[in-house]
Amino acid sequence: MRWLVLIIAMTLPIAAAAQPSPVPLGPTILDTGSQVVRVESFTLTAPGQGADYRIGVLIPRRPAPETGFPALYLLDGQAAAELLTDEVLGALDPETLPVIVTLGYAGDARFAGPERTRDYTPPHPDGTKVTDPRGRPGGGAPDYLTRLSDEILPRVAGMAPLDPDRSLLWGHSYAGLFVLWSASEPSSPFARYVSASPSLWWDGAAYFDRATAQARAGDWPQRPLDLHKGGMERERASTPDKPDARKLVRERAAAPARAFEDLDAALRAAGIPGETTVFPGLSHGETFRASLRHVLANAAKLTEHPR
């Protein structure tokens, strides 16, 4: 196992809270525009009830490389877009700045609970319905991956020339679980995956068991998969005294204490390339921002053209 221990020191302070802020999302770069990048966006109708998809596309103001731009695809796109200020983007190397795609939802919620539960979580293999601790339906990861592949990625490619061999999918928590599941699917179209703090307790840790078994059996696709976590996620996990919160605590306990480390070891033993990064002292919620900043700061390396 290879561990890269990193102390983050970037332009914006990391929030002290371990949970997403309940304050409604304010205007982001998708609303205000930018002096650093060209901002495009589009919406897609949601399946059934729920918020529509809102996709942001941030395009560098420079000529595209001969093979096309590298691209970062960021789940929980509305929360990611909040961090993509001109100050942050302007601090990056303009000669290597990728296209950045925020895969979010319409509305003013930083994290669209019902929608991300539906879209980001794997189904149970026997078709049994799965729900999260708040009773929200899940298991729609295959449908969402199909929509990404068949609708969203082609539309983004029509806005800027892209190099599919330099694409990266990033996500945290439920979104990190989706990234992990996508990396295990041969049909997934991305070249590299970064799974931050994946919810390995999902479905009574049944998916963790399947993923570990898949890696140990040598059935995991051979493409880069980076894993991120906060150094104190278990120690600083919130335990509010509410019924759904108590159920979440019980479900989190379904995963082994070293589930992240065990999965990492299984993947690396199977020859899956990638880096494992631990952010010292950070909680689960704080790792969202730290992980995203790490990906932005290292985008050129993470999207190098395969040799």
Side-chain angles (χ1 to χ4, degrees), residues 28-259:
T28 70
I29 194 171
L30 304 189
D31 307 302
T32 63
S34 168
Q35 297 298 312
V36 179
V37 294
R38 179 163 59 91
V39 179
E40 305 284 351
S41 67
F42 61 92
T43 60
L44 294 173
T45 303
Q49 296 181 339
D52 289 341
Y53 299 107
R54 189 185 189 194
I55 314 300
V57 186
L58 312 183
I59 304 169
R61 297 182 183 275
R62 62 181 172 93
E66 184 177 346
T67 59
F69 286 113
L72 306 182
Y73 293 85
L74 311 178
L75 295 166
D76 282 320
Q78 63 276 33
E82 184 179 33
L83 302 181
L84 297 174
T85 64
D86 271 7
E87 180 182 8
V88 169
L89 295 174
L92 304 176
D93 183 354
E95 297 303 314
T96 60
L97 188 66
V99 167
I100 301 175
V101 183
T102 60
L103 302 168
Y105 301 92
D108 64 358
R110 284 180 172 81
F111 297 93
E115 291 82 3
R116 69 198 298 267
T117 303
R118 176 195 65 209
D119 289 339
Y120 295 167
T121 56
H124 197 74
D126 65 4
T128 304
K129 292 183 179 180
V130 287
T131 60
D132 78 353
R134 293 177 174 82
R136 298 177 295 201
D143 292 336
Y144 186 61
L145 182 61
T146 297
R147 192 149 203 186
L148 281 174
S149 301
D150 294 352
E151 296 183 58
I152 295 175
L153 268 65
R155 189 155 174 181
V156 172
M159 297 178 171
L162 302 178
D163 184 346
D165 291 331
R166 301 178 66 194
S167 60
L168 180 151
L169 178 66
W170 172 89
H172 171 270
S173 196
Y174 275 10
L177 183 64
F178 178 81
V179 171
L180 186 64
W181 175 85
S182 299
S184 74
E185 290 292 306
S187 63
S188 185
F190 304 96
R192 190 179 191 115
Y193 300 79
V194 181
S195 173
S197 305
S199 300
L200 296 177
W201 53 264
W202 173 255
D203 194 17
Y207 177 71
F208 161 73
D209 292 336
R210 297 199 305 274
T212 305
Q214 181 179 352
R216 289 173 176 162
D219 294 334
W220 199 283
Q222 291 283 327
R223 51 197 178 193
L225 168 60
D226 299 341
L227 298 176
H228 292 178
K229 69 170 289 190
M232 297 189 70
E233 293 203 12
R234 291 184 72 90
E235 295 85 349
R236 297 183 58 200
S238 60
T239 56
D241 189 22
K242 297 180 181 178
D244 58 353
R246 289 195 293 271
K247 187 175 181 182
L248 173 60
V249 171
R250 290 195 300 271
E251 293 204 15
R252 281 195 314 229
R258 292 184 57 81

Side-chain angles (χ1 to χ4, degrees), residues 261-293:
E261 291 80 3
D262 291 347
L263 178 60
D264 177 68
L267 290 167
R268 304 315 174 204
I272 306 304
E275 294 182 341
T276 301
T277 303
V278 177
F279 300 98
L282 297 194
S283 68
H284 180 82
E286 291 166 343
T287 301
F288 178 95
R289 189 172 290 192
S291 174
L292 178 52
R293 289 175 178 170

